[in-house]
Every structure is written in C-alpha cells, then in structure tokens.
Amino acid sequence: MSDTSFEDDVLDELGDDKLQEIATLLGTDAAGARDVVGTTASTLSAPLQQEAAAQAPDPAAGPPLQGVATLGGGLGGLLGGGMAAGVLGKLSKPVANAVAKKTGVPAATVTRVIEILIPVVLAVLSKRAAGGRGK
C-alpha cells in the first residue's frame, strides 16, 4: 500500500503540464486545479474500486485460475481493454455531476477534466494493484 494518498498519486502521475492544462480549462491557477483534480480523483476512484472488486474471482470458488484464465478478474480485468472504457463511460456523468456540485465548476467542464484524468487514474490504480507506489 502506498504511503501517499490516492489523490496525491494522481497529481504526481498527472504532472505539471497536464495540471496546467486543467487549470487553463478551469480558468484557475494550479492550486485551484489541484483542488478539482483531488475531488475528481477521489470521487472517481471509489466506484472504480467497487467495480474491480465485483470483477474479482470469488475465493470460495476454489483455487485461483492460472494464465489466460485470470485476465478477466479483479483490477487487471477491469483495466483491460473495453471493460475499462465501458465502466468509465458509465461513471463519467454521475462523477461529473457530483464533482460539479461539490466544487461549483460546471458539469460540462468537469467532464472534460475527467477525460484528461481517466488514463491517469487508471495508471495509478494499475500501479497500486501491482504493488507499486503509484508513481
């Protein structure tokens, strides 16, 4: 488990250039962008983690499968291919609405921020699932 928060890991993975892009999109400075990114990352991560848990194999069903049979389960399965795109597409609107309500930023703008953040959030979740530090 990482010593840093999920939001910090997302900000680290995002980098200064993308943070500045988000700040420009929001019409704010880097600090304002960090606040929106943190709120968005935390709001987006919970349903992604729930979906990954739902995809994980049931330990009571017997020994874990090996090789190719494991590709569909858990976070690895969620992060693979179309599954991630489908889940993220389903989550974008409710997450954008929740973040807009918390931050006062229009939902359409938050949706654009989410589009920038999705690959970053997936990278952080993937690194954490692999036992990395999220950096």
Side-chain angles (χ1 to χ4, degrees), residues 52-116:
Q55 297 295 322
D58 181 0
L65 299 173
Q66 299 293 321
V68 175
T70 64
L71 294 177
L75 191 55
L78 176 62
L79 296 179
M83 174 64 96
V87 169
L88 292 170
K90 185 172 71 173
L91 295 176
S92 309
K93 187 173 181 177
V95 168
N97 290 336
V99 172
K101 189 174 181 179
K102 288 180 187 176
T103 63
V105 175
T109 303
V110 175
T111 299
R112 291 175 62 197
V113 171
I114 289 171
E115 290 169 0
I116 295 169

Side-chain angles (χ1 to χ4, degrees), residues 14-108:
L14 186 64
D16 292 338
D17 290 344
K18 287 290 186 187
L19 185 65
Q20 187 56 50
E21 181 181 337
I22 291 171
T24 301
L25 179 67
L26 296 170
T28 188
D29 59 8
R34 288 178 77 85
D35 289 343
V36 172
V37 166
T39 300
T40 305
S42 64
T43 305
L44 189 58
S45 71
L48 280 175
Q49 290 171 354
Q50 289 170 351
E51 186 68 28
Q55 297 295 322
D58 181 0
L65 299 173
Q66 299 293 321
V68 175
T70 64
L71 294 177
L75 191 55
L78 176 62
L79 296 179
M83 174 64 96
V87 169
L88 292 170
K90 185 172 71 173
L91 295 176
S92 309
K93 187 173 181 177
V95 168
N97 290 336
V99 172
K101 189 174 181 179
K102 288 180 187 176
T103 63
V105 175

